[in-house]
Amino acid sequence: MEIVKPHPKTQPNDVVPTLPLYRSAPALEVRLEDFELYAMDRLRVLKGISDGLSRGKKSEEMEKLVKELWKANMKHPYASEVVNKDIISHFVLRLVYCRTEDLRKWFLSNETALFRYRFRLLTAEAQRALLQEFGLPYKAVPSAELESIKDKLAQVARSFAQPLPSSDAIFYKVPFEDVPELVAGRRVFICKGHAYVAPSQIVSLVVTQFRSIISKALTLTNRKWTSMIGEQEKDRLTPIVEALATSYLGPDYSQPKEFAEISIKDIDVTAKSSFPLCMRHLFEKLRDDHHLKHGGRMQLGLFLKGVGLKLDDALAFWKAEFTQKVGAERFDKEYAYSIRHNYGREGKRTDYTPYSCQKIISSTPGVGDHHGCPYRQFSEENLRAALNRMGVNSGAVDDAMDKVRNRHYQLACTLTFEAIHGVSCDSGINHPNQYFSDSQKVLKSKDNSLS
């Protein structure tokens, strides 16, 4: 796969998309802009799958979700490019997510889930063709052998309320270790070390093989990245690859939208009602200690900018706190510049964007720091206490803790939002400023209904 500068598009033509196995990188020229855009489109699909799985969606719901996510994000105006976009985006994200064990686990889990549900959407003929493409040495069970165990097969089907196998159904006889998920769920008949896999269960065969292919490929890609690619591409691709792992794909919160501004006099009340835990913790620490280290100032300062605290008010707010500890002269000399800088009034005049959940979660606070994601950084005891102070009931706290143990930090924050506001948040919390905006909408809606 070679990265090239932009060139004219080819003319559209009709090409029927297939389901690639991603065995090797394609011999394609990829425009640098497509390299990143394709990856972000696929990332939206994978993050949607991750959220759906962590919310415990049923298999049928996941199948529908994957179909919708794929249709919304992986389309291309040129039919001939649909398959290329699929393959290119996978290999770009393989580069992105090969670099650490946590990244590899996340990518492997969600790519496997994506493959599973895309496979299930194929026709039976296409599924069999893909089975052959894997080169799996499985043969259909002879009708005489099938007849001798048909009662056992029917018994397994009935136990899961599945349709009874028809007389002409094709079963595959495979080593039981090739279908671990079917064995673990007691969803397959086993005899003498072999599992008899029904047509509806073929997906388990190919998913096991697919997962193995991608797992090995990620390990090899990591070695290449570490030994060669990362250094060779440090001025071109490496910054893009590193940024994609923590990229935020939602709305821009660099400027307040629905709610024009918040004032200093209302900020304490607003913090209690509408700040997510990460920002509420920073805000309370600032009020208590009259100081925050750089990471905390950046995380909270940009958040406050995004929810509508004007520059003059921001300077007054931070100065009122910091001068209780460092004095007015030192504040003006050491801290005021960075506040103006965040608002695009100094330096490069860049309009800096508030941090997304992904960026906050991936941060690594040191001793004495208070930034980062509390759901990831707090001990269980401290997190429970913090959620109780926010008014989260014990049942919801338990649910949030369960998500934290499985590293679903954003979902834990989503459950917190739902418990406090008494509404569902199907889109999930992906940004602290989204939490604030959605909270304000709910509160204003409740106020309007009472008036």
Side-chain angles (χ1 to χ4, degrees), residues 196-228:
Y196 289 80
V197 180
S200 61
Q201 297 171 323
I202 288 177
V203 64
S204 294
L205 287 175
V206 295
V207 163
T208 300
Q209 296 297 320
F210 179 80
R211 186 181 184 89
S212 177
I213 291 170
I214 303 303
S215 179
K216 291 174 183 176
L218 283 169
T219 302
L220 291 174
T221 306
N222 172 254
R223 290 175 187 167
K224 290 181 180 178
W225 177 265
T226 305
S227 64
M228 182 176 59

Short mmCIF file of all heavy atoms in Angstrom, two decimals, residues 196-228:
data_model
loop_
_atom_site.label_atom_id
_atom_site.label_comp_id
_atom_site.label_asym_id
_atom_site.label_seq_id
_atom_site.Cartn_x
_atom_site.Cartn_y
_atom_site.Cartn_z
N TYR A 196 -20.65 -31.10 15.51
CA TYR A 196 -21.48 -31.13 14.30
C TYR A 196 -22.13 -29.74 14.16
O TYR A 196 -23.05 -29.40 14.90
CB TYR A 196 -22.53 -32.23 14.40
CG TYR A 196 -21.93 -33.62 14.29
CD1 TYR A 196 -21.31 -34.23 15.39
CD2 TYR A 196 -21.94 -34.32 13.09
CE1 TYR A 196 -20.74 -35.49 15.30
CE2 TYR A 196 -21.38 -35.59 12.98
CZ TYR A 196 -20.78 -36.17 14.09
OH TYR A 196 -20.21 -37.42 13.98
N VAL A 197 -21.60 -28.98 13.24
CA VAL A 197 -21.97 -27.57 13.11
C VAL A 197 -23.07 -27.39 12.07
O VAL A 197 -22.92 -27.80 10.91
CB VAL A 197 -20.73 -26.73 12.71
CG1 VAL A 197 -21.11 -25.26 12.57
CG2 VAL A 197 -19.63 -26.91 13.74
N ALA A 198 -24.17 -26.77 12.49
CA ALA A 198 -25.31 -26.52 11.61
C ALA A 198 -25.02 -25.37 10.66
O ALA A 198 -24.11 -24.56 10.91
CB ALA A 198 -26.55 -26.21 12.45
N PRO A 199 -25.79 -25.25 9.58
CA PRO A 199 -25.58 -24.15 8.63
C PRO A 199 -25.63 -22.78 9.30
O PRO A 199 -24.85 -21.88 8.96
CB PRO A 199 -26.73 -24.32 7.63
CG PRO A 199 -27.08 -25.77 7.71
CD PRO A 199 -26.85 -26.19 9.11
N SER A 200 -26.54 -22.64 10.26
CA SER A 200 -26.68 -21.35 10.95
C SER A 200 -25.51 -21.05 11.86
O SER A 200 -25.38 -19.94 12.37
CB SER A 200 -27.98 -21.33 11.76
OG SER A 200 -27.96 -22.36 12.74
N GLN A 201 -24.64 -22.05 12.09
CA GLN A 201 -23.51 -21.87 13.01
C GLN A 201 -22.18 -21.77 12.29
O GLN A 201 -21.13 -21.69 12.93
CB GLN A 201 -23.46 -23.04 14.00
CG GLN A 201 -24.69 -23.14 14.90
CD GLN A 201 -24.70 -24.42 15.72
OE1 GLN A 201 -24.29 -25.48 15.24
NE2 GLN A 201 -25.17 -24.33 16.95
N ILE A 202 -22.22 -21.74 10.96
CA ILE A 202 -20.98 -21.64 10.19
C ILE A 202 -20.19 -20.40 10.59
O ILE A 202 -18.95 -20.39 10.57
CB ILE A 202 -21.29 -21.61 8.68
CG1 ILE A 202 -21.75 -23.00 8.21
CG2 ILE A 202 -20.07 -21.20 7.87
CD1 ILE A 202 -22.14 -23.04 6.75
N VAL A 203 -20.89 -19.36 10.99
CA VAL A 203 -20.23 -18.12 11.37
C VAL A 203 -19.18 -18.35 12.45
O VAL A 203 -18.12 -17.72 12.46
CB VAL A 203 -21.27 -17.06 11.82
CG1 VAL A 203 -22.00 -17.50 13.07
CG2 VAL A 203 -20.59 -15.71 12.06
N SER A 204 -19.44 -19.28 13.37
CA SER A 204 -18.47 -19.56 14.44
C SER A 204 -17.17 -20.14 13.87
O SER A 204 -16.09 -19.88 14.41
CB SER A 204 -19.07 -20.53 15.46
OG SER A 204 -20.14 -19.93 16.15
N LEU A 205 -17.29 -20.92 12.81
CA LEU A 205 -16.10 -21.49 12.18
C LEU A 205 -15.22 -20.40 11.59
O LEU A 205 -14.01 -20.35 11.83
CB LEU A 205 -16.50 -22.47 11.06
CG LEU A 205 -17.09 -23.82 11.45
CD1 LEU A 205 -17.51 -24.57 10.20
CD2 LEU A 205 -16.08 -24.63 12.24
N VAL A 206 -15.83 -19.53 10.80
CA VAL A 206 -15.03 -18.52 10.11
C VAL A 206 -14.54 -17.43 11.06
O VAL A 206 -13.45 -16.88 10.87
CB VAL A 206 -15.82 -17.90 8.93
CG1 VAL A 206 -16.10 -18.95 7.87
CG2 VAL A 206 -17.12 -17.27 9.39
N VAL A 207 -15.34 -17.09 12.08
CA VAL A 207 -14.92 -16.05 13.02
C VAL A 207 -13.68 -16.50 13.80
O VAL A 207 -12.76 -15.69 14.02
CB VAL A 207 -16.08 -15.70 13.99
CG1 VAL A 207 -15.56 -14.95 15.21
CG2 VAL A 207 -17.12 -14.85 13.27
N THR A 208 -13.62 -17.76 14.19
CA THR A 208 -12.44 -18.27 14.88
C THR A 208 -11.20 -18.13 14.00
O THR A 208 -10.14 -17.70 14.46
CB THR A 208 -12.64 -19.75 15.28
OG1 THR A 208 -13.77 -19.86 16.14
CG2 THR A 208 -11.41 -20.29 16.00
N GLN A 209 -11.34 -18.50 12.73
CA GLN A 209 -10.23 -18.39 11.81
C GLN A 209 -9.85 -16.93 11.55
O GLN A 209 -8.67 -16.57 11.51
CB GLN A 209 -10.59 -19.07 10.48
CG GLN A 209 -10.83 -20.56 10.58
CD GLN A 209 -9.60 -21.31 11.03
OE1 GLN A 209 -8.49 -21.01 10.60
NE2 GLN A 209 -9.78 -22.30 11.89
N PHE A 210 -10.86 -16.08 11.37
CA PHE A 210 -10.62 -14.67 11.11
C PHE A 210 -9.88 -14.02 12.28
O PHE A 210 -8.92 -13.27 12.10
CB PHE A 210 -11.94 -13.95 10.86
CG PHE A 210 -11.80 -12.48 10.60
CD1 PHE A 210 -11.43 -12.01 9.34
CD2 PHE A 210 -12.02 -11.56 11.61
CE1 PHE A 210 -11.30 -10.65 9.10
CE2 PHE A 210 -11.89 -10.19 11.37
CZ PHE A 210 -11.53 -9.75 10.12
N ARG A 211 -10.35 -14.32 13.49
CA ARG A 211 -9.72 -13.75 14.69
C ARG A 211 -8.24 -14.16 14.77
O ARG A 211 -7.38 -13.35 15.11
CB ARG A 211 -10.46 -14.21 15.94
CG ARG A 211 -9.96 -13.55 17.22
CD ARG A 211 -10.71 -14.06 18.45
NE ARG A 211 -10.27 -13.35 19.63
CZ ARG A 211 -10.80 -12.22 20.08
NH1 ARG A 211 -11.82 -11.69 19.43
NH2 ARG A 211 -10.32 -11.64 21.16
N SER A 212 -7.96 -15.41 14.44
CA SER A 212 -6.58 -15.90 14.47
C SER A 212 -5.72 -15.16 13.44
O SER A 212 -4.58 -14.76 13.74
CB SER A 212 -6.56 -17.40 14.19
OG SER A 212 -5.24 -17.89 14.13
N ILE A 213 -6.27 -14.95 12.24
CA ILE A 213 -5.53 -14.25 11.18
C ILE A 213 -5.18 -12.83 11.62
O ILE A 213 -4.04 -12.37 11.49
CB ILE A 213 -6.35 -14.22 9.88
CG1 ILE A 213 -6.45 -15.62 9.26
CG2 ILE A 213 -5.76 -13.24 8.87
CD1 ILE A 213 -7.43 -15.71 8.11
N ILE A 214 -6.18 -12.11 12.14
CA ILE A 214 -5.98 -10.71 12.51
C ILE A 214 -5.06 -10.59 13.73
O ILE A 214 -4.23 -9.68 13.81
CB ILE A 214 -7.33 -10.01 12.78
CG1 ILE A 214 -8.23 -10.11 11.55
CG2 ILE A 214 -7.11 -8.54 13.16
CD1 ILE A 214 -7.61 -9.54 10.28
N SER A 215 -5.19 -11.50 14.69
CA SER A 215 -4.34 -11.47 15.88
C SER A 215 -2.87 -11.61 15.50
O SER A 215 -2.01 -10.84 15.98
CB SER A 215 -4.75 -12.58 16.84
OG SER A 215 -3.94 -12.58 18.00
N LYS A 216 -2.57 -12.58 14.65
CA LYS A 216 -1.18 -12.78 14.21
C LYS A 216 -0.70 -11.58 13.40
O LYS A 216 0.45 -11.14 13.53
CB LYS A 216 -1.09 -14.05 13.37
CG LYS A 216 -1.30 -15.33 14.17
CD LYS A 216 -1.33 -16.55 13.26
CE LYS A 216 -1.61 -17.82 14.06
NZ LYS A 216 -1.76 -19.02 13.18
N ALA A 217 -1.59 -11.05 12.56
CA ALA A 217 -1.21 -9.91 11.71
C ALA A 217 -0.88 -8.68 12.55
O ALA A 217 0.05 -7.93 12.24
CB ALA A 217 -2.34 -9.59 10.73
N LEU A 218 -1.64 -8.45 13.63
CA LEU A 218 -1.37 -7.31 14.51
C LEU A 218 0.00 -7.42 15.17
O LEU A 218 0.72 -6.43 15.31
CB LEU A 218 -2.47 -7.21 15.58
CG LEU A 218 -3.81 -6.63 15.13
CD1 LEU A 218 -4.86 -6.85 16.21
CD2 LEU A 218 -3.68 -5.15 14.81
N THR A 219 0.35 -8.63 15.58
CA THR A 219 1.67 -8.85 16.19
C THR A 219 2.78 -8.55 15.20
O THR A 219 3.77 -7.88 15.53
CB THR A 219 1.79 -10.30 16.70
OG1 THR A 219 0.75 -10.56 17.64
CG2 THR A 219 3.14 -10.53 17.37
N LEU A 220 2.64 -9.04 13.97
CA LEU A 220 3.65 -8.80 12.94
C LEU A 220 3.73 -7.31 12.57
O LEU A 220 4.82 -6.76 12.39
CB LEU A 220 3.32 -9.61 11.69
CG LEU A 220 3.47 -11.14 11.81
CD1 LEU A 220 2.97 -11.83 10.55
CD2 LEU A 220 4.93 -11.52 12.08
N THR A 221 2.58 -6.67 12.49
CA THR A 221 2.54 -5.24 12.16
C THR A 221 3.23 -4.42 13.25
O THR A 221 3.95 -3.46 12.97
CB THR A 221 1.10 -4.75 11.96
OG1 THR A 221 0.44 -5.57 11.01
CG2 THR A 221 1.07 -3.30 11.49
N ASN A 222 3.01 -4.82 14.50
CA ASN A 222 3.65 -4.13 15.62
C ASN A 222 5.17 -4.22 15.51
O ASN A 222 5.89 -3.24 15.75
CB ASN A 222 3.18 -4.73 16.94
CG ASN A 222 3.95 -4.19 18.13
OD1 ASN A 222 4.78 -4.88 18.71
ND2 ASN A 222 3.67 -2.95 18.50
N ARG A 223 5.66 -5.39 15.14
CA ARG A 223 7.12 -5.56 15.00
C ARG A 223 7.66 -4.65 13.89
O ARG A 223 8.71 -4.01 14.03
CB ARG A 223 7.44 -7.02 14.69
CG ARG A 223 7.21 -7.97 15.84
CD ARG A 223 7.44 -9.41 15.40
NE ARG A 223 7.06 -10.35 16.46
CZ ARG A 223 6.91 -11.66 16.27
NH1 ARG A 223 7.14 -12.18 15.07
NH2 ARG A 223 6.56 -12.45 17.27
N LYS A 224 6.94 -4.61 12.77
CA LYS A 224 7.38 -3.77 11.66
C LYS A 224 7.32 -2.28 12.03
O LYS A 224 8.20 -1.50 11.68
CB LYS A 224 6.52 -4.03 10.42
CG LYS A 224 6.75 -5.40 9.79
CD LYS A 224 5.89 -5.59 8.55
CE LYS A 224 6.12 -6.95 7.91
NZ LYS A 224 5.25 -7.17 6.73
N TRP A 225 6.25 -1.91 12.73
CA TRP A 225 6.10 -0.52 13.14
C TRP A 225 7.24 -0.11 14.07
O TRP A 225 7.84 0.95 13.91
CB TRP A 225 4.75 -0.30 13.82
CG TRP A 225 4.58 1.10 14.33
CD1 TRP A 225 4.83 1.57 15.58
CD2 TRP A 225 4.14 2.23 13.56
NE1 TRP A 225 4.58 2.92 15.65
CE2 TRP A 225 4.15 3.34 14.43
CE3 TRP A 225 3.73 2.38 12.24
CZ2 TRP A 225 3.78 4.61 13.99
CZ3 TRP A 225 3.36 3.65 11.81
CH2 TRP A 225 3.39 4.75 12.68
N THR A 226 7.51 -0.96 15.05
CA THR A 226 8.54 -0.65 16.05
C THR A 226 9.93 -0.62 15.44
O THR A 226 10.75 0.24 15.78
CB THR A 226 8.50 -1.70 17.18
OG1 THR A 226 7.17 -1.75 17.73
CG2 THR A 226 9.48 -1.35 18.29
N SER A 227 10.21 -1.56 14.56
CA SER A 227 11.57 -1.69 14.02
C SER A 227 11.86 -0.79 12.83
O SER A 227 13.02 -0.47 12.56
CB SER A 227 11.83 -3.15 13.62
OG SER A 227 10.96 -3.53 12.56
N MET A 228 10.81 -0.38 12.12
CA MET A 228 11.08 0.30 10.86
C MET A 228 10.10 1.42 10.52
O MET A 228 10.50 2.59 10.40
CB MET A 228 11.07 -0.74 9.73
CG MET A 228 11.38 -0.21 8.35
SD MET A 228 11.46 -1.54 7.13
CE MET A 228 9.81 -2.26 7.26
#
